[in-house]
Amino acid sequence: MATLTVPHSIPSPQEDCEQLHKAFEGWGTNENLIISVLAHRNAAQRKAIRQAYQATYGKDLLESLLHETHGDFEKLLLLWTLEPSERDAILANEAATKWHAANRVLIEIACARSSEELFIVRRAYHTQFKRSLEEDVAAHTKGDFRKLLVPLISAYRYEGAEVNMHLAKSEAKLLHDKISDKAYSDEEVIRVLTTRSKPQLLATFNQYKNEFGNAINKDLKSDPKDDFLAALRAVIRLICTPEKYLEKVVRLSLNKMGTEETALTRIVATRAEVDLKLIKEVYQSRNSVPLEKAVKHDTHRHYEDLVLALLGCEEN
Amino acid sequence: MATEEQLALTKALSGDGGLGVEESTLVSIIGKWRKKPEHVSSFRKNFNRLFSHAGHIEKCEDDHVQKLVIEFSRFHQITVLWAMHPHERDARWANQVTHKNHPASILVEVASTRSAEDLLGARRAYQTLYHHSLEEDVAYQIKDSKSKLLVGLVSAYRYEGQKVDNDVAKSEAKSIHSAIKSAGANKISENDEVVRILTTRSKLHLKSVFKYYKEQFGKYLEEDLSSDPLAQQTVLCLDSPASYFSQVINSAFKEGATHAETEGLSRVMVSRSDIDIEEIKEAYAKLYGAKLADMIGKKTRGYFRDSLLSLAGEAKA
């Protein structure tokens, strides 16, 4: 499900960091060398390289990358090199402090991570920003969005497989009643979506469809311009089929129709070790064209090379 | 005419005026009265609370037996609690609030006085024990106006470092004050801004907020929250847990203390013995002009008393 390719035998972190240092040395930067190393190492290996680099050269690898690379290539490289929890913390901080109603990055992070992963992000957030994630989200959002987003990023969902069918039925009905009354930000809707376990929610949404005929997201489309409804649909989509939601974000980003061009960077960096392969499959089946082709068409130079490498393309 | 032993036995079994039972007294009298059934019989005839005349016997009163079960088992309860993992204790106490109607104040206590990592530990233990998340159960089982505050408190993972933004703290003190004025003090725990501040800010930041509140408005925030006990308790737990715990302990000692109040004594002593019992002793002395060890000696009995003294780091009475 991951697209990251790591060679069977790799150099030691010491050798890798020396290669990277060589890539920075002298006039200009050897971007291909950087890609050949970093784009083919997993999170643990990248961490070891960063540590070796700090020990050998007395500074953070990220600092050198910042200095020696530019633009979208630099952005992706920095995000990619970070540990997943640090990366998510930085993305969350940006999303929270520059929040606007169409920004759904916090929802991505809250819903497409396991309970433990989300907690590690919150811990990394303390270290990086000297505040709690929920503190910043609460302070920068208001009204219905705050009601939804704060419990969403504070959730520590039960991860067992048990499902209570009786509860699924009654909560499906509850959701249906509230949606019919257009009470989209009702406390009970928020409660169900932000506290129930994912298996429980999947059962609830199935019940909804069986009982009432429409998938719940269809009933939440009454106003296509309503950002809150879009947020609710995103929560539901990310809990049920994250790869489908993320494919759409990538697709819109490539068509430059989405609200942020950095979405491609974010999703490649955060999913290359998770489910980018699945996302590629969805892309192919939806668009009849492989994702790599669209990337080659829409991106350029070193950024394109890095994206393709992380997509698992055996080009270089 | 009651003998000294009868008086001692009556006191030991009355379940009055003190928590726990004097086991050593009971054991000694059982020994002294061996082969002297007339002494036991005379005791039964005179001890009307536990025995009543029925036919040719003095039968046992079930009500009082039940009361004695509680007193005898205080030592049992505190020992089991003491042996338990702290996170399991907290999870069980939380579950008693969500599923056994125990007072919500216990949830506020657990959520607000534990460190961020200990609260996370309690949440993990809760999932292990009950196969639901804590916030799931709190949100589902407690559907009244207090639910917003309670869900926020149990979901918190507060920053625990030193950094505080004093400008923000000042303006948040103002926000809380305006909220109290406009919402009415008894509905303060339903106010979104107040809930946001109390449930997400770091404890150090909140201490700053409370300090600015007093400076700007002349009164302690706790005073202005006296008509919303849960909000008031939240502020006290976050600002000065030692004072809060002293209050819980002291309500167990008073005349006519409820079952919940007497359980509070065991809960606090067990959960704070390794954490801040020294600060609690100091706060207690300041608040009530008496040493905690002396009050424990006066108000509790037997092994229960001895275990409380041990938990308080004091030698046996």
Side-chain angles (χ1 to χ4, degrees):
Chain A
M1 295 213 285
T3 50
L4 172 68
T5 53
V6 177
H8 271 297
S9 78
I10 54 165
S12 69
Q14 188 61 39
E15 288 168 309
D16 271 342
C17 85
E18 280 164 19
Q19 284 287 351
L20 288 170
H21 188 76
K22 225 191 275 179
F24 304 139
E25 257 177 354
W27 197 70
T29 305
N30 188 342
E31 287 91 352
N32 288 329
L33 182 51
I34 298 174
I35 294 175
S36 74
V37 175
L38 287 175
H40 296 281
R41 304 288 181 269
N42 64 33
Q45 292 159 347
R46 297 194 306 273
K47 186 174 180 183
I49 294 171
R50 249 177 105 184
Q51 284 166 343
Y53 193 92
Q54 175 79 50
T56 311
Y57 303 108
K59 61 177 174 178
D60 193 337
L61 171 61
L62 291 176
E63 221 188 288
S64 297
L65 290 173
L66 196 65
H67 197 69
E68 302 284 338
T69 62
H70 317 283
D72 287 327
F73 177 59
E74 171 199 302
K75 285 204 188 88
L76 178 53
L77 207 46
L78 287 173
L79 267 188
W80 171 247
T81 308
L82 285 165
E83 272 189 82
S85 58
E86 293 173 310
R87 182 194 301 150
D88 280 346
I90 286 174
L91 289 169
N93 175 263
E94 191 179 27
T97 53
K98 301 200 178 108
W99 185 83
H100 57 89
N103 183 318
R104 290 184 273 283
V105 174
L106 287 169
I107 299 177
E108 257 178 52
I109 293 173
C111 299
R113 308 293 184 262
S114 73
S115 295
E116 284 300 330
E117 280 168 351
L118 186 54
F119 240 101
I120 298 174
V121 172
R122 288 169 83 178
R123 206 175 271 138
Y125 199 96
H126 283 183
T127 309
Q128 286 248 3
F129 300 105
K130 314 281 186 256
R131 280 186 309 275
S132 70
L133 173 55
E134 63 266 28
E135 177 173 4
D136 279 352
V137 172
H140 289 90
T141 57
K142 42 182 197 270
D144 290 345
F145 287 95
R146 186 199 288 177
K147 262 171 91 167
L148 174 66
L149 292 170
V150 174
L152 211 56
I153 48 99
S154 313
Y156 187 54
R157 299 183 200 258
Y158 175 60
E159 295 206 305
E162 300 101 293
V163 167
N164 178 331
M165 283 315 294
H166 181 75
L167 201 58
K169 283 197 173 94
S170 76
E171 291 188 338
K173 176 159 197 320
L174 167 69
L175 291 172
H176 186 256
D177 289 344
K178 298 293 178 185
I179 292 174
S180 306
D181 289 340
K182 296 200 194 298
Y184 305 117
S185 62
D186 183 275
E187 252 99 52
E188 287 285 88
V189 174
I190 309 268
R191 173 183 68 75
V192 171
L193 291 181
T194 64
T195 68
R196 292 299 182 201
S197 77
K198 290 179 183 177
Q200 181 69 31
L201 282 172
L202 285 163
T204 306
F205 301 146
N206 281 335
Q207 274 303 118
Y208 188 104
K209 180 128 201 269
N210 290 342
E211 228 4 77
F212 305 109
N214 283 341
I216 184 171
N217 266 4
K218 187 150 184 224
D219 286 348
L220 287 170
K221 279 209 177 112
S222 56
D223 180 359
K225 292 226 172 73
D226 184 325
D227 283 319
F228 188 73
L229 287 180
L232 289 180
R233 293 198 304 273
V235 170
I236 294 167
R237 218 82 209 279
L238 280 161
I239 286 174
C240 296
T241 47
E243 63 280 359
K244 286 196 181 149
Y245 176 85
L246 295 171
E247 181 275 335
K248 185 171 184 183
V249 176
V250 165
R251 177 170 22 107
L252 292 178
S253 171
L254 283 170
N255 294 344
K256 301 290 188 284
M257 266 165 60
T259 48
E260 356 124 58
E261 280 114 324
T262 55
L264 178 65
T265 295
R266 179 180 75 249
I267 289 168
V268 168
T270 56
R271 308 312 279 185
E273 288 175 279
V274 184
D275 57 2
L276 195 48
K277 189 147 187 248
L278 282 176
I279 297 172
K280 277 206 305 188
E281 284 166 16
V282 177
Y283 190 93
Q284 168 89 54
S285 79
R286 272 214 64 136
N287 303 287
S288 304
V289 142
L291 178 54
E292 288 88 336
K293 191 154 181 213
V295 165
K296 282 185 198 161
H297 187 264
D298 263 23
T299 63
H300 317 284
R301 302 194 66 223
H302 307 296
Y303 177 65
E304 175 188 321
D305 292 340
L306 180 54
V307 173
L308 291 174
L310 290 174
L311 281 174
C313 277
E314 295 303 330
E315 292 255 327
N316 303 340
Chain B
M1 192 185 65
T3 65
E4 198 185 296
E5 277 142 13
Q6 284 201 333
L7 285 169
L9 187 56
T10 306
K11 182 170 183 203
L13 284 178
S14 69
D16 267 350
L19 304 169
V21 286
E22 204 55 73
E23 291 91 347
S24 53
T25 305
L26 295 169
V27 167
S28 143
I29 293 174
I30 289 171
K32 287 207 180 101
W33 286 359
R34 192 178 77 89
K35 295 223 171 151
K36 296 187 180 132
E38 66 280 7
H39 280 62
V40 188
S41 171
S42 165
F43 170 71
R44 282 197 299 271
K45 289 194 169 72
N46 287 306
F47 190 25
N48 304 119
R49 223 153 340 146
L50 186 49
F51 298 100
S52 63
H53 198 73
H56 75 287
I57 62 170
E58 306 79 32
K59 85 168 172 62
C60 232
E61 285 301 329
D62 286 327
D63 282 350
H64 194 78
V65 171
Q66 282 314 306
K67 193 171 178 198
L68 284 183
V69 166
I70 293 173
E71 296 310 327
F72 270 87
S73 65
R74 284 193 201 277
F75 177 57
H76 162 249
Q77 191 200 43
I78 208 170
T79 306
V80 172
L81 280 176
W82 166 83
M84 241 185 232
H85 194 295
H87 296 161
E88 179 174 357
R89 285 199 289 261
D90 282 349
R92 285 183 187 269
W93 285 325
N95 187 259
Q96 285 172 346
V97 175
T98 56
H99 287 77
K100 299 206 168 87
N101 232 354
H102 283 216
S105 55
I106 295 174
L107 208 52
V108 174
E109 178 183 308
V110 169
S112 314
T113 64
R114 306 324 188 220
S115 72
E117 289 303 321
D118 277 336
L119 181 55
L120 170 58
R123 288 169 85 176
R124 276 208 190 99
Y126 192 95
Q127 291 195 2
T128 303
L129 290 168
Y130 303 109
H131 299 251
H132 286 283
S133 73
L134 175 55
E135 65 271 22
E136 180 179 1
D137 280 357
V138 172
Y140 185 57
Q141 304 288 347
I142 302 179
K143 291 238 185 96
D144 60 27
S145 54
K146 307 304 174 194
S147 146
K148 236 191 286 202
L149 176 63
L150 292 172
V151 172
L153 286 174
V154 303
S155 310
Y157 185 53
R158 298 178 202 259
Y159 168 64
E160 294 197 311
Q162 300 300 312
K163 193 152 181 282
V164 170
D165 186 329
N166 285 310
D167 289 332
V168 173
K170 267 191 199 120
S171 96
E172 289 184 344
K174 265 208 192 82
S175 303
I176 294 178
H177 189 253
S178 320
I180 292 177
K181 289 292 168 240
S182 66
N186 65 335
K187 294 236 159 148
I188 209 61
S189 47
E190 297 168 46
N191 179 285
D192 282 339
E193 272 304 282
V194 173
V195 170
R196 170 184 74 76
I197 295 166
L198 291 182
T199 64
T200 67
R201 292 299 186 201
S202 77
K203 290 181 182 177
L204 216 57
H205 178 99
L206 286 170
K207 285 195 162 84
S208 220
V209 171
F210 303 150
K211 184 187 85 180
Y212 287 124
Y213 190 95
K214 174 96 191 350
E215 271 173 30
Q216 291 175 48
F217 305 108
K219 287 172 92 184
Y220 287 106
L221 175 54
E222 282 119 77
E223 290 169 51
D224 280 350
L225 289 175
S226 52
S227 34
D228 187 334
L230 223 55
Q232 185 186 52
Q233 183 204 344
T234 304
V235 170
L236 186 57
C237 283
L238 291 166
D239 191 26
S240 173
S243 301
Y244 165 78
F245 287 123
S246 304
Q247 290 180 21
V248 176
I249 291 170
N250 202 56
S251 19
F253 293 149
K254 70 174 194 280
E255 194 67 43
T258 63
H259 188 55
E261 285 169 323
T262 57
E263 288 208 315
L265 173 62
S266 300
R267 183 181 71 246
V268 170
M269 296 304 292
V270 166
S271 61
R272 306 315 286 184
S273 169
D274 287 345
I275 311 248
D276 55 359
I277 202 71
E278 301 298 330
E279 287 96 319
I280 293 173
K281 288 196 288 195
E282 263 180 62
Y284 190 92
K286 233 190 231 152
L287 277 169
Y288 302 111
K291 284 178 72 179
L292 179 57
D294 292 343
M295 289 303 280
I296 290 173
K298 235 197 284 192
K299 299 283 186 173
T300 64
R301 304 209 193 109
Y303 285 150
F304 180 58
R305 175 198 59 235
D306 295 341
S307 62
L308 290 174
L309 289 171
S310 295
L311 289 168
E314 303 276 349
K316 251 169 97 152

